[in-house]
Amino acid sequence: MLHKFEMKYPIIQAPMAGVTSPKFVAACAEAGILGAIGAGYLDGKQTQTFIQEVKKLSAKPFAVNLFVLEEPRIDIDVLQKARMALQPFYDELGLSPVQSVMSKDVFEEQVQAVIDEDVAICSFTFGIPSASTIQRLKEKNTYLIGTATTLEEAKRVEAAGLDAIVLQGSEAGGHRGSFTEPMTLYTRNQLLRQVVGEIDIPVISAGGIISKEDVTEALASGALAVQIGTAFLVADECEINATYKAEVLNSKPQQTTITRAFTGKPARGRINDFTERMKEAVVAPYPLQNHLTTTIRKESMKQGNKEYLSLWMGETSYLAQPGSVKDIVARLI
């Protein structure tokens, strides 16, 4: 895998949806690691445009990550209660409540963009694509990577015929890649011990990896490569809002939590007023909750109000150090 995709180092930049930009992905590829587009919040056309922009900046292979989602069954009562729980935030920010939460299936359009643009690698979060989708991508020789948070999920990814798997430990920032219930939390090292030797496809370790020692330990435990997100959030080329970047750099130990309040799916981020006030609230399923909170997050970003932002970061965020992507990679290897 490393030689095939021109990776100088066994490191994959985590495909953080809403965070990655063409400049950032290209910088990661040029630094000798695998850059990855987090396309989860994009539609088909936006995904294709993003891919084309990365190609203009780098000739190196890169990955595109897609969300595998089922259309949620809309429970009007749950939706109304979720809206009511968010009303105080709408009021405080001077916003009108979100009325329309209709989602559209863009997955097929995204897959077509990956095929049309000859993307080398496609990874998946929140589930496993259909057999027909896997077949279409395999016919284009696309390397396919699944995501798992348990041994059971890992076995299902392998059985579906994917080429490799990201094992996401509980320390990971951002959304959990889980697709079975109930959600079970295993650390990065626990997962590696459970899965390595039980499946035959290559394993990529993820979750709180932020130092050279973490990388060395994961590779020694049977991982082919590691996937890293939070360490790169503070890179010069990462174009996230300054408030977000400062929160990562100023974070302290034990300041993250796993919450469904922002999107309806469990994700690890910085504890703030929103996560605390929403602990017991009714939350709509993804992507409905995500639609309901979009204006809250956008307005909070405009106002520089960190208390209502989804500040995704891993458990070891407090160890992140600024610098260029190349500087950060040099510290990791």
Side-chain angles (χ1 to χ4, degrees), residues 33 128-129 153 194 204 232 237 260 284 311:
I33 67 175
I128 302 169
E153 289 178 348
Q194 289 174 25
I204 298 154
F232 292 119
E237 299 90 340
R260 295 177 188 260
L311 300 165

Side-chain angles (χ1 to χ4, degrees), residues 290-330:
N290 190 55
H291 292 319
L292 290 174
T293 65
T294 295
T295 56
I296 292 171
R297 285 174 282 144
K298 282 184 178 177
E299 184 59 29
S300 297
M301 189 71 81
K302 279 185 197 171
Q303 295 183 14
N305 180 357
K306 64 186 181 184
E307 293 304 323
Y308 298 167
L309 291 176
S310 51
L311 300 165
W312 305 138
M313 61 186 79
E315 276 190 346
T316 54
S317 58
Y318 61 95
L319 296 173
Q321 298 176 49
S324 68
V325 169
K326 285 186 178 178
D327 292 337
I328 294 167
V329 170

Side-chain angles (χ1 to χ4, degrees), residues 42-307:
L42 307 179
D43 61 24
K45 183 60 181 172
Q46 289 168 331
T47 301
Q48 185 163 27
T49 300
F50 200 131
I51 292 167
Q52 291 169 349
E53 290 299 314
V54 175
K55 284 180 175 178
K56 289 176 187 175
L57 298 170
S58 175
K60 298 282 181 68
F62 55 89
V64 171
N65 176 261
L66 305 180
F67 289 172
V68 182
L69 299 167
E70 294 179 3
E71 194 67 22
R73 192 170 51 81
I74 299 179
D75 183 318
I76 300 302
D77 182 54
V78 168
L79 196 55
Q80 191 57 31
K81 285 178 179 174
R83 273 206 189 100
M84 287 170 60
L86 294 169
Q87 189 62 50
F89 300 99
Y90 292 134
D91 292 341
E92 286 171 43
L93 294 167
L95 299 168
S96 298
V98 173
Q99 299 301 326
S100 173
V101 293
M102 294 306 293
S103 62
K104 55 180 182 175
D105 180 20
V106 299
F107 183 76
E108 286 305 316
E109 295 170 14
Q110 291 182 311
V111 169
Q112 194 58 51
V114 168
I115 289 170
D116 291 345
E117 294 296 327
D118 288 318
V119 174
I121 303 156
C122 189
S123 65
F124 303 96
T125 302
F126 301 145
I128 302 169
S130 67
S132 60
T133 296
I134 292 170
Q135 180 62 30
R136 284 171 63 206
L137 288 162
K138 289 265 189 181
E139 286 171 0
K140 291 287 289 187
N141 293 316
T142 312
Y143 192 86
L144 305 180
I145 302 175
T147 305
T149 60
T150 65
L151 174 58
E152 178 198 346
E153 289 178 348
K155 286 181 174 179
R156 286 172 64 174
V157 168
E158 180 179 48
L162 276 66
D163 299 298
I165 185 164
V166 172
L167 291 181
Q168 186 191 39
S170 59
E171 305 96 330
H175 283 99
R176 306 288 306 143
S178 314
F179 56 91
T180 56
E181 293 289 346
M183 182 181 74
T184 310
L185 296 176
Y186 296 108
T187 66
R188 175 180 79 240
N189 289 333
Q190 285 174 333
L191 260 183
L192 278 170
R193 285 196 294 271
Q194 289 174 25
V195 176
V196 171
E198 294 295 319
I199 63 173
D200 294 324
I201 58 175
V203 163
I204 298 154
S205 183
I209 296 174
I210 207 155
S211 68
K212 180 180 179 180
E213 289 72 27
D214 292 337
V215 174
T216 302
E217 182 181 36
L219 298 179
S221 298
L224 173 73
V226 296
Q227 181 168 284
I228 299 175
T230 303
F232 292 119
L233 281 177
V234 296
D236 299 339
E237 299 90 340
C238 183
E239 299 174 88
I240 58 172
N241 179 278
T243 301
Y244 187 177
K245 199 167 282 195
E247 283 301 296
V248 177
L249 288 169
N250 296 328
S251 62
K252 302 286 190 293
Q254 299 180 318
Q255 280 192 330
T256 66
T257 187
I258 293 178
T259 179
R260 295 177 188 260
F262 284 107
T263 68
K265 277 192 175 288
R268 182 178 293 284
R270 182 85 148 76
I271 295 169
N272 58 13
D273 193 35
F274 190 89
T275 64
E276 291 301 286
R277 285 166 60 183
M278 290 289 289
K279 269 184 176 177
E280 306 300 324
V282 173
V283 172
Y286 185 95
L288 306 181
Q289 185 75 9
N290 190 55
H291 292 319
L292 290 174
T293 65
T294 295
T295 56
I296 292 171
R297 285 174 282 144
K298 282 184 178 177
E299 184 59 29
S300 297
M301 189 71 81
K302 279 185 197 171
Q303 295 183 14
N305 180 357
K306 64 186 181 184
E307 293 304 323

